[in-house]
Amino acid sequence: MFHPLRERNVPELPEIALYVEALRPRVVGHVLQDLRVRSPSLLRTVDPPVSTLVGRTVADVFALQKRIAFRFEPDLAGEPLFAVVHLMITGRFQWLKPGAQVPRKTGHAAFDFDDGTLLLTEQATRKRAALHVLKGEAALAELHRGGVEPLSATPGAFAEALRRENRTLKRALTDPRLVSGVGNAHSDEILLEARLSPVQLTRNLSDAEVERLWETTRASLTRWSARLREEWGDRFPTKVTAFHPEMMAHGKFGQPCPQCGSPIQRIRYADRETNYCPGCQTDGKLLADRALSRLLGKDWPRTLEEMEDHIDQRSGRKPG
């Protein structure tokens, strides 16, 4: 079955964790024999040069918000070197045989090790994936946007970050300056499970609602991480995005909510959308979709009941 959102989601915390867990046993302790960069748009730094990584041993692989960071052994000055990759929307890693070729149209770079080649590709006309080569912990810290880590933050730290600005819940959860690693897809799932509206303002939340959101965020991300780990096992993951066919809200417009049966609704803006359940999250009220609201004007249904009546009238069925 085709899922239109599958290729439009930046990998989020569970997907980045999946990549990290797959990469560690394959590259940690191994020497980078070559780094073949084929796409000029990929490399976002010039100092230190890419060549400084060649011949060095990978000491660790870890997540840096929605980025994947490779820590290399220190240079002569004793400072560690880092290669930090942001896959963006369609960037993907592949683990192939040593010396694998870099595809002409989609290939960005190849990290060559003795036991395999880590290939970075991007299936998009406009290439957005990024590689930063950095020297020292201070340079690495500059890439972090400052958001709290949802799996380790205390309830107090999570609440402080959430209320730092008076934003809608959807925007707050997906803002890397406030919360790390959560994006468009998993925020929909978290808010549905927490039964909170995506347009609720953060400073209007009660302490009980904030604590429920903290608990739900941790539980949802942990559960999805475990699920992905179980699905892939020892295999290297391919075509990884934040969309999953078993999600309850994200990408499920018009389908029944697993919790209450109401049809999942959406708010569309640019090339993104927010999916939510009116029955579970907005007391049955439909949130205005900019495009449809302008088109329908006063005819825009405000509740599920009005929407159902509108559908009945157009189909010729009698309400009820």
Side-chain angles (χ1 to χ4, degrees):
M1 182 178 179
F2 174 70
H3 297 278
L5 292 183
R6 182 184 296 277
E7 300 298 335
R8 297 214 306 266
N9 288 288
V10 176
E12 302 175 29
L13 188 152
E15 295 76 36
I16 294 298
L18 178 68
Y19 266 136
V20 167
E21 292 178 14
L23 286 166
R24 278 178 176 159
R26 290 172 169 85
V27 304
V28 171
H30 292 264
V31 175
L32 181 66
Q33 298 181 337
D34 195 10
L35 176 48
R36 295 174 282 155
V37 177
R38 292 290 185 264
S39 175
S41 67
L42 176 68
L43 190 60
R44 305 301 173 88
T45 54
V46 295
D47 185 29
V50 169
S51 59
T52 60
L53 301 177
V54 177
R56 297 189 182 277
T57 301
V58 178
D60 192 16
V61 182
F62 58 95
L64 183 70
Q65 296 193 303
K66 294 181 185 178
R67 305 173 192 258
I68 298 172
F70 299 79
R71 181 193 298 270
F72 290 82
E73 63 182 6
D75 63 4
L76 294 177
E79 291 193 278
L81 297 169
F82 300 92
V84 185
V85 177
H86 198 316
L87 296 170
M88 295 303 290
I89 296 176
T90 61
R92 301 290 182 268
F93 278 131
Q94 300 177 47
W95 183 254
L96 304 174
K97 294 180 180 180
Q101 291 186 344
V102 181
R104 185 173 61 87
K105 291 185 177 181
T106 62
H108 267 313
F111 297 74
D112 291 315
F113 297 91
D114 61 324
D115 59 336
T117 289
L118 181 64
L119 186 65
L120 173 59
T121 63
E122 188 171 12
Q123 296 279 353
T125 303
R126 180 182 177 186
K127 300 294 192 290
R128 298 182 179 180
L131 169 64
H132 289 75
V133 178
L134 307 170
K135 179 180 178 180
E137 299 284 353
L140 181 71
E142 291 181 3
L143 284 185
H144 197 286
R145 302 289 298 280
V148 297
E149 299 298 330
L151 296 184
S152 59
T154 65
F158 183 82
E160 190 280 327
L162 206 64
R163 290 167 168 162
R164 191 176 305 152
E165 300 175 8
N166 196 26
R167 311 283 292 278
T168 64
L169 271 178
K170 176 73 175 188
R171 293 189 67 188
L173 280 179
T174 57
D175 187 339
R177 298 177 301 112
L178 303 179
V179 181
S180 289
V182 180
N184 199 37
H186 285 286
S187 60
D188 283 350
E189 298 301 293
I190 289 167
L191 291 174
L192 174 60
E193 291 184 51
R195 295 179 178 269
L196 293 170
S197 169
V199 299
Q200 170 74 289
L201 292 176
T202 54
R203 291 180 182 172
N204 290 344
L205 293 173
S206 67
D207 290 342
E209 288 173 326
V210 172
E211 183 171 0
R212 185 167 82 241
L213 182 60
W214 172 75
E215 292 174 346
T216 303
T217 300
R218 289 162 55 89
S220 180
L221 294 175
T222 299
R223 185 171 60 254
W224 276 109
S225 295
R227 179 170 192 158
L228 293 174
R229 189 182 304 117
E230 181 180 353
E231 288 181 356
W232 285 101
D234 294 332
R235 295 175 297 136
F236 193 84
T238 59
K239 298 182 179 180
V240 176
T241 78
F243 173 81
H244 193 286
E246 298 303 317
M247 284 183 161
M248 296 190 297
H250 190 71
K252 296 305 178 74
F253 173 64
Q255 299 183 36
C257 168
Q259 297 183 155
C260 74
S262 299
I264 296 294
Q265 300 299 311
R266 68 185 175 193
I267 308 170
R268 290 182 291 186
Y269 45 102
D271 60 347
R272 303 179 66 190
E273 65 181 55
T274 293
N275 302 117
Y276 69 97
C277 170
C280 293
Q281 296 173 260
T282 61
D283 294 324
K285 297 179 182 178
L286 298 182
L287 303 178
D289 179 285
R290 290 181 182 178
L292 288 178
S293 293
R294 286 196 296 266
L295 178 64
L296 297 178
K298 294 181 179 179
D299 291 333
W300 172 255
R302 305 299 177 184
T303 65
L304 281 174
E305 289 77 11
E306 288 183 15
M307 182 182 69
E308 291 170 356
D309 288 345
H310 182 69
I311 293 173
D312 288 337
Q313 290 170 9
R314 293 189 63 183
S315 64
R317 296 195 303 263
K318 293 183 178 180

